[in-house]
Coordinates of all heavy atoms in Angstrom, one line a residue:
G1 N 81.5 140.2 111.8 CA 81.9 141.2 110.9 C 82.7 140.6 109.8 O 82.8 139.3 109.6
S2 N 83.2 141.5 108.8 CA 83.9 141.0 107.6 C 85.4 141.8 107.5 O 85.5 142.9 108.2 CB 83.1 141.3 106.4 OG 81.9 140.5 106.3
L3 N 86.2 141.2 106.9 CA 87.6 141.7 106.7 C 88.1 141.2 105.4 O 87.9 139.9 105.1 CB 88.4 141.3 107.8 CG 89.5 142.3 108.2 CD1 89.0 143.8 108.5 CD2 90.4 141.7 109.3
R4 N 88.8 142.0 104.7 CA 89.5 141.3 103.4 C 91.0 141.5 103.5 O 91.6 142.7 103.8 CB 89.0 142.1 102.2 CG 89.5 141.5 100.9 CD 89.1 142.2 99.7 NE 89.9 143.4 99.4 CZ 90.1 143.8 98.1 NH1 89.5 143.4 97.2 NH2 90.8 145.1 98.1
L5 N 91.7 140.5 103.4 CA 93.2 140.5 103.5 C 93.7 140.4 102.0 O 93.1 139.9 101.1 CB 93.8 139.3 104.2 CG 93.2 139.0 105.7 CD1 93.9 137.9 106.3 CD2 93.5 140.3 106.5
S6 N 94.8 141.1 101.8 CA 95.6 141.1 100.6 C 97.0 140.6 100.6 O 97.6 140.8 101.7 CB 95.6 142.5 99.9 OG 94.3 143.0 99.7
C7 N 97.5 139.9 99.6 CA 98.8 139.5 99.7 C 99.4 139.8 98.4 O 99.0 139.4 97.2 CB 98.9 138.0 99.8 SG 100.4 137.2 99.6
A8 N 100.4 140.8 98.4 CA 101.1 141.3 97.2 C 102.5 140.7 97.1 O 103.2 140.7 98.0 CB 101.2 142.8 97.4
A9 N 102.6 140.1 95.7 CA 103.9 139.5 95.5 C 104.8 140.5 94.7 O 104.2 141.2 93.8 CB 103.6 138.2 94.8
S10 N 106.0 140.3 94.9 CA 107.0 141.1 94.1 C 108.2 140.2 93.8 O 108.4 139.3 94.4 CB 107.3 142.4 94.7 OG 107.9 142.2 96.1
G11 N 109.0 140.7 92.9 CA 110.3 140.1 92.6 C 110.1 139.0 91.5 O 111.2 138.7 90.9
R12 N 109.1 138.4 91.3 CA 108.7 137.4 90.5 C 107.3 137.1 90.2 O 106.6 137.6 91.0 CB 109.4 136.0 90.8 CG 108.8 135.3 92.0 CD 109.5 134.0 92.3 NE 109.4 133.1 91.1 CZ 110.0 131.9 90.9 NH1 111.0 131.6 91.9 NH2 109.7 131.3 89.9
T13 N 106.9 136.5 89.2 CA 105.5 136.2 89.0 C 105.2 134.8 89.7 O 106.0 133.9 89.6 CB 105.1 136.2 87.4 OG1 103.7 135.8 87.3 CG2 106.0 135.1 86.7
F14 N 104.0 134.8 90.2 CA 103.5 133.6 90.9 C 102.3 133.0 90.1 O 101.5 132.3 90.8 CB 103.3 133.9 92.4 CG 104.4 134.0 93.2 CD1 105.0 135.4 93.5 CD2 105.0 133.0 93.8 CE1 106.1 135.5 94.2 CE2 106.3 133.1 94.6 CZ 106.7 134.4 94.8
S15 N 102.1 133.3 88.9 CA 101.0 133.0 88.1 C 100.8 131.6 88.1 O 99.7 130.9 87.9 CB 100.9 133.7 86.8 OG 102.2 133.3 86.1
S16 N 102.0 130.7 88.1 CA 102.0 129.3 88.0 C 102.0 128.6 89.4 O 102.1 127.3 89.3 CB 103.0 128.7 87.1 OG 104.3 129.1 87.6
Y17 N 102.1 129.3 90.5 CA 102.2 128.8 91.8 C 100.8 128.6 92.4 O 99.8 129.4 92.2 CB 103.0 129.8 92.6 CG 104.4 129.7 92.5 CD1 105.1 129.8 91.3 CD2 105.3 129.4 93.6 CE1 106.4 129.8 91.2 CE2 106.6 129.2 93.6 CZ 107.2 129.5 92.3 OH 108.6 129.4 92.2
T18 N 100.7 127.6 93.3 CA 99.6 127.6 94.2 C 99.8 128.6 95.3 O 100.9 128.8 95.8 CB 99.4 126.2 94.8 OG1 99.2 125.2 93.8 CG2 98.4 126.2 95.9
M19 N 98.8 129.4 95.6 CA 98.7 130.4 96.7 C 97.9 130.0 97.8 O 96.8 129.5 97.6 CB 98.4 131.8 96.2 CG 99.2 132.3 95.0 SD 101.0 132.6 95.3 CE 100.9 133.8 96.6
G20 N 98.4 130.2 99.0 CA 97.6 129.7 100.1 C 97.6 130.6 101.3 O 98.5 131.5 101.3
W21 N 96.7 130.6 102.2 CA 96.5 131.2 103.4 C 96.6 130.3 104.5 O 95.8 129.3 104.5 CB 95.3 132.1 103.5 CG 95.2 133.3 102.6 CD1 94.6 133.4 101.3 CD2 95.7 134.6 102.9 NE1 94.8 134.7 100.8 CE2 95.5 135.4 101.7 CE3 96.5 135.2 104.0 CZ2 96.0 136.8 101.7 CZ3 96.9 136.5 104.0 CH2 96.5 137.3 102.7
F22 N 97.4 130.6 105.5 CA 97.5 129.8 106.7 C 97.3 130.8 107.9 O 97.5 132.0 107.8 CB 98.9 129.2 106.9 CG 99.1 128.1 105.9 CD1 99.4 128.5 104.6 CD2 99.1 126.8 106.3 CE1 99.6 127.5 103.6 CE2 99.3 125.7 105.3 CZ 99.5 126.1 104.0
R23 N 97.1 130.2 109.2 CA 96.9 131.1 110.3 C 97.5 130.5 111.4 O 97.6 129.2 111.6 CB 95.4 131.5 110.5 CG 94.5 130.3 110.9 CD 93.1 130.9 110.9 NE 92.2 129.8 111.3 CZ 90.9 129.8 111.4 NH1 90.4 131.0 111.1 NH2 90.0 128.9 111.7
Q24 N 97.9 131.2 112.4 CA 98.5 130.7 113.7 C 98.1 131.5 115.0 O 98.2 132.8 114.8 CB 100.0 130.6 113.7 CG 100.7 129.9 114.7 CD 102.1 129.6 114.5 OE1 102.7 130.2 113.6 NE2 102.7 128.6 115.1
S25 N 97.5 130.9 116.0 CA 97.1 131.5 117.2 C 98.2 131.2 118.1 O 98.9 130.2 118.1 CB 95.8 131.1 117.7 OG 94.8 131.3 116.7
P26 N 98.2 132.0 119.3 CA 99.3 131.7 120.3 C 99.1 130.4 120.8 O 97.9 130.0 121.3 CB 99.0 132.9 121.3 CG 98.5 134.0 120.5 CD 97.7 133.3 119.5
G27 N 100.1 129.7 121.2 CA 100.1 128.3 121.6 C 99.6 127.1 120.7 O 99.5 126.0 121.2
K28 N 99.2 127.5 119.4 CA 98.8 126.6 118.5 C 99.7 126.4 117.3 O 100.5 127.4 117.0 CB 97.4 126.9 118.1 CG 96.3 126.9 119.1 CD 94.9 127.1 118.5 CE 93.9 126.9 119.7 NZ 92.5 127.1 119.1
E29 N 99.6 125.3 116.5 CA 100.3 125.1 115.3 C 99.7 125.9 114.2 O 98.6 126.2 114.2 CB 100.4 123.6 115.0 CG 101.1 122.8 116.1 CD 101.3 121.4 115.6 OE1 100.4 120.9 114.7 OE2 102.0 120.5 116.2
R30 N 100.6 126.2 113.2 CA 100.1 126.8 112.0 C 99.1 125.9 111.4 O 99.4 124.7 111.0 CB 101.3 127.3 111.2 CG 100.9 128.1 109.9 CD 102.2 128.6 109.3 NE 102.9 129.6 110.2 CZ 103.9 130.3 109.9 NH1 104.4 130.4 108.7 NH2 104.6 131.1 110.8

């Protein structure tokens, strides 16, 4: 199947930042 995640930023603009996604499962490193 499929899924779409969103990440909403607030408080400042991140237009000049690198944006990333990480994940972590139980017992494993990020």
Side-chain angles (χ1 to χ4, degrees):
S2 298
L3 206 61
R4 190 183 77 155
L5 306 183
S6 298
C7 174
S10 62
R12 68 177 299 166
T13 179
F14 288 91
S15 60
S16 63
Y17 279 59
T18 295
M19 302 298 297
W21 288 95
F22 293 78
R23 66 187 183 186
Q24 187 168 23
S25 300
K28 294 185 177 181
E29 296 181 344
R30 188 168 298 186

